[in-house]
Amino acid sequence: MAHPRSTPSPIAALVLALLLAGCGDKGAQGPAPEAAGRDPTVTISGDEAVVVPAWQPAPVQIAVGDEPKVLAEAIAALDAGKLFGGDRDAMPLLIELHARLPDDPEVSRVHARAVAMLLAEGDAALAAMDTDPNGLRHAHEVGEVARTAAADAPTVRAYLSRVDAADASVQLDHRGERELQADRLGEGDTRGALQYFREALVKRPGDARAAQGIAAVESALIRRAETAAATSDFAQAETWLQHAAPIRPGMSTVADARLRIGALRTERVNTLRDQGLALLMRDGGLPQARRILSDVLRIAPPADPAATELRERIDLVAHYGLFRPGQAFTDALRSGARGPQMIVVPHGGFRMGARDGETDALPNERPLHYVRFDRGFAMARTETTVGEFRRFVDATGYRSRAVRRGHSIVYDERSGNLVRRSGVDWRHDYNGAIARDDMPVLHVSARDAEAYAHWLSQQTGERYALPSEAQFEYAVRAGSEGSLPWRSRIPPRSAGNVTGSLDRSPTGRTWRNAFQGYGDGWWGPAPVASFAPNAFSLHDLAGNVSEWVADCWHEGYRRAPADGQPWVNPGCRTRVIRGGSWASAPAQVRAAWRLSTDGDTTNARLGFRLVREL
């Protein structure tokens, strides 16, 4: 009688086949022939070669009929994340099971799951190799297990290609670092560190070591640029920056370096410019200034304003040889007489106003600001004298403000005060007596001074005027930066006609607010040029008499002209007085001191001097 055929399960079929095969237990056969015959894998990590041996699964003993139990054990190992390393981990068990039951769907499914988990662990090791020194080694170990478990699987072959690419990137990184250490950067068309690091990134995108190497190449090129700039070779510095610019285009490092080098270049050019301008102030300094200009033109960018300024100034000195800084001259008048002696003041720049922390400074003396004279000017060597003003009055019949008004302000020795006195005008001294011709003219208003300047301009054909505030302070300072025209708090011996504690009036009066320990022998104005000139060869700017300037009064320097021109509002009545006098307190002798007063003011402490355009 025929019995119905029942299809055995794959496991049962395998058990039956094993029984028919006798004693052929594959679990006791040892490693697969492929694993036993493979050579160890060698990879490069850092500076050392790392040998990763071929993986051999541990021998697995599976008794006939225990396959389901072993499969369950393999699944449990998978769930616990135990892939290989131990003889009862998932991969040794599944390799043996898969070899015995290649067609069993459950074994194949679990085997495929194990291979996928294995490759995921390997990819994680590759991803961590930039921070984990053992990452690449572990990725190789995974590769050896995967090669044994499923050598022909496309996923395994793809993974092994990724491991090979990681090996290549490490070797390229190492080669790039050697080139970097040897300063072979690979800029331009040369081959060096940059090319190796870029190839490493192609092999393994995201290679942090290669990215760091590329940044190091950029930094090395920037250092080359800064080294060249330090020797004023700014053309070579720019060449290195141009090589560095395309390396990491999204970063600001090259742009920042270009700004730093540009600032250094500007500083060097400006320093040379100032040296050249200073040389032009000296006799015989023109050839040296021309050599300075050659250095400026070598390092300055095209159309640099400092280079242009120095070149124009040299041209002025070379081709306008009538004047030179510090030169004294007089202009001829139509009458055949000579005008006041003028001194050529060098052009340049200075910081105008009260310095930070300056004692006795007033708000109207600020803000401190930079003023530059693009062209020099001439200033009268002394205050305008009584004799010079007399020549103007005699020639024109001019009637000054005090003459028309019939009075002015004089010093009264009896009371020690300044008082109004009738019949006093430009012909009189500080106390109302008739003045000598070599004394500074007093009792003149701003308009009187401007009338004299207008007459002098007509007589000479040149432009005379009251100085601007900026011109006056520039001349007072004469290159100094302190609050006073002198280095010390107390004026040096015979510095000028200012109030000193040692001064005595004709009746023995002394000053209540004066420079302690100083005396100049004068109570009231002294004849002009009685004291030594300053560094610009100008006399009495800090003392003797205060002086009118051309500016209208403003409560501070916000929006003041930066070119040194007078700050004038049409029709203004309130004017500016500058410079200390024989009766000024020490605070009023400061270079930044300024005072407002009506333009019609006349008194015993106030005179003027003129400037002339060159």
Side-chain angles (χ1 to χ4, degrees), residues 211-513:
Q212 291 170 356
I214 288 173
V217 171
E218 180 193 62
S219 295
L221 287 169
I222 290 174
R223 282 196 301 275
R224 287 184 183 179
E226 291 173 336
T227 300
T231 61
S232 294
D233 191 350
F234 294 102
Q236 184 59 59
E238 179 58 27
T239 297
W240 292 129
L241 291 178
Q242 288 175 0
H243 284 309
I247 292 177
R248 297 196 302 163
M251 305 299 290
S252 65
T253 45
V254 174
D256 293 342
R258 184 171 274 113
L259 287 175
R260 292 195 303 274
I261 291 173
L264 176 62
R265 188 181 198 179
T266 298
E267 180 184 355
R268 292 274 173 84
V269 169
N270 288 345
T271 298
L272 288 171
R273 184 268 317 274
D274 291 342
Q275 289 174 357
L277 294 177
L279 286 167
L280 291 174
M281 295 171 57
R282 304 176 187 171
D283 288 337
L286 182 58
Q288 292 174 278
R290 282 175 169 155
R291 287 193 289 273
I292 292 286
L293 178 61
S294 296
D295 292 337
V296 170
L297 295 176
R298 178 177 58 82
I299 67 175
D304 181 78
T308 301
E309 178 186 6
L310 180 57
R311 181 170 55 242
E312 290 177 349
R313 184 59 182 166
I314 287 174
D315 289 344
L316 180 65
V317 172
H319 299 104
Y320 192 61
L322 181 61
F323 299 112
R324 65 180 184 275
Q327 179 181 350
F329 69 92
T330 60
D331 287 322
L333 306 184
R334 291 178 181 176
S335 64
R338 306 296 298 185
Q341 190 174 61
M342 308 298 290
I343 301 294
V344 177
V345 176
H347 86 300
F350 79 113
R351 295 188 304 156
M352 181 176 177
R355 274 54 180 160
D356 292 340
E358 182 171 326
T359 304
D360 298 320
L362 300 173
N364 62 50
E365 299 166 2
R366 293 191 171 103
L368 186 67
H369 60 292
Y370 188 76
V371 175
R372 182 163 190 84
F373 300 98
D374 292 330
R375 190 175 181 87
F377 57 92
M379 177 174 273
R381 187 172 67 93
T382 69
E383 306 102 330
T384 301
T385 66
V386 172
E388 289 168 339
F389 199 79
R390 184 191 309 282
R391 184 166 53 189
F392 155 62
V393 172
D394 289 347
T396 63
Y398 180 80
R399 298 180 73 245
S400 70
R401 177 64 178 170
V403 169
R404 289 182 283 114
R405 189 167 48 195
H407 63 80
S408 188
I409 303 298
V410 299
Y411 172 75
D412 178 51
E413 176 68 22
R414 183 172 55 185
S415 64
N417 295 320
L418 291 172
V419 299
R420 174 175 164 174
R421 183 170 297 171
S422 298
V424 173
D425 55 42
W426 61 268
R427 292 166 289 204
H428 296 88
D429 203 344
Y430 79 109
N431 58 6
I434 296 297
R436 292 165 35 182
D437 275 2
D438 62 351
M439 295 294 289
V441 67
L442 304 173
H443 311 295
V444 286
S445 69
R447 290 171 179 80
D448 296 336
E450 289 167 343
Y452 172 69
H454 180 69
W455 172 77
L456 203 58
S457 299
Q458 290 180 323
Q459 286 288 306
T460 62
E462 305 293 344
R463 188 176 183 277
Y464 284 82
L466 286 173
S468 69
E469 272 202 87
Q471 286 174 321
F472 194 95
E473 184 171 331
Y474 181 63
V476 169
R477 292 187 180 280
S480 68
E481 280 286 326
S483 62
L484 293 168
W486 318 283
R487 293 181 182 274
S488 59
R489 185 64 184 164
I490 299 175
R493 183 179 178 85
S494 299
N497 186 5
V498 296
T499 55
S501 64
L502 304 181
D503 290 333
R504 296 292 183 271
S505 77
T507 61
R509 290 184 180 276
T510 59
W511 299 110
R512 284 197 300 269
N513 186 8

Side-chain angles (χ1 to χ4, degrees), residues 16-289:
L16 178 62
L18 289 173
L19 289 173
L20 294 174
C23 298
D25 185 355
K26 290 178 68 79
Q29 289 179 359
E34 182 187 356
R38 283 204 310 273
D39 293 329
T41 299
V42 179
T43 188
I44 301 296
S45 178
D47 296 329
E48 298 179 355
V50 178
V51 178
V52 178
W55 183 73
Q56 297 181 2
V60 175
Q61 302 292 334
I62 300 177
V64 176
D66 283 349
E67 289 83 358
K69 182 174 69 175
V70 172
L71 180 60
E73 183 182 357
I75 292 171
L78 276 182
D79 292 340
K82 297 178 180 180
L83 292 175
F84 65 94
D87 57 355
R88 306 305 290 181
D89 286 347
M91 290 311 302
L93 296 177
L94 288 169
I95 288 171
E96 181 62 29
L97 284 174
H98 195 262
R100 288 190 180 189
L101 306 172
D103 298 325
D104 186 277
E106 183 64 15
V107 171
S108 296
R109 184 187 68 78
V110 177
H111 181 272
R113 176 191 169 198
V115 171
M117 290 178 63
L118 182 68
L119 298 183
E121 181 175 318
D123 282 328
L126 289 175
M129 61 181 285
D130 288 321
T131 55
D132 182 359
N134 294 316
L136 183 57
R137 183 189 193 95
H138 186 57
H140 270 284
E141 292 171 347
V142 168
E144 288 305 302
V145 176
R147 195 193 307 270
T148 301
D152 295 330
T155 54
V156 172
R157 289 198 298 270
Y159 171 76
L160 293 175
S161 294
R162 293 194 292 276
V163 173
D164 290 341
D167 278 339
S169 74
V170 170
Q171 296 181 48
L172 289 166
D173 286 340
H174 186 50
R175 181 67 182 273
E177 288 161 358
R178 289 202 303 270
E179 294 293 290
L180 183 63
Q181 188 175 11
D183 202 34
R184 292 187 289 269
L185 303 182
E187 72 280 357
D189 296 330
T190 62
R191 182 166 181 81
L194 182 61
Q195 286 71 33
Y196 290 113
F197 290 132
R198 283 176 169 167
E199 290 170 12
L201 277 175
V202 172
K203 292 291 184 182
R204 186 167 69 90
D207 183 346
R209 188 171 175 182
Q212 291 170 356
I214 288 173
V217 171
E218 180 193 62
S219 295
L221 287 169
I222 290 174
R223 282 196 301 275
R224 287 184 183 179
E226 291 173 336
T227 300
T231 61
S232 294
D233 191 350
F234 294 102
Q236 184 59 59
E238 179 58 27
T239 297
W240 292 129
L241 291 178
Q242 288 175 0
H243 284 309
I247 292 177
R248 297 196 302 163
M251 305 299 290
S252 65
T253 45
V254 174
D256 293 342
R258 184 171 274 113
L259 287 175
R260 292 195 303 274
I261 291 173
L264 176 62
R265 188 181 198 179
T266 298
E267 180 184 355
R268 292 274 173 84
V269 169
N270 288 345
T271 298
L272 288 171
R273 184 268 317 274
D274 291 342
Q275 289 174 357
L277 294 177
L279 286 167
L280 291 174
M281 295 171 57
R282 304 176 187 171
D283 288 337
L286 182 58
Q288 292 174 278

Side-chain angles (χ1 to χ4, degrees), residues 240 516 530:
W240 292 129
Q516 295 300 308
S530 295

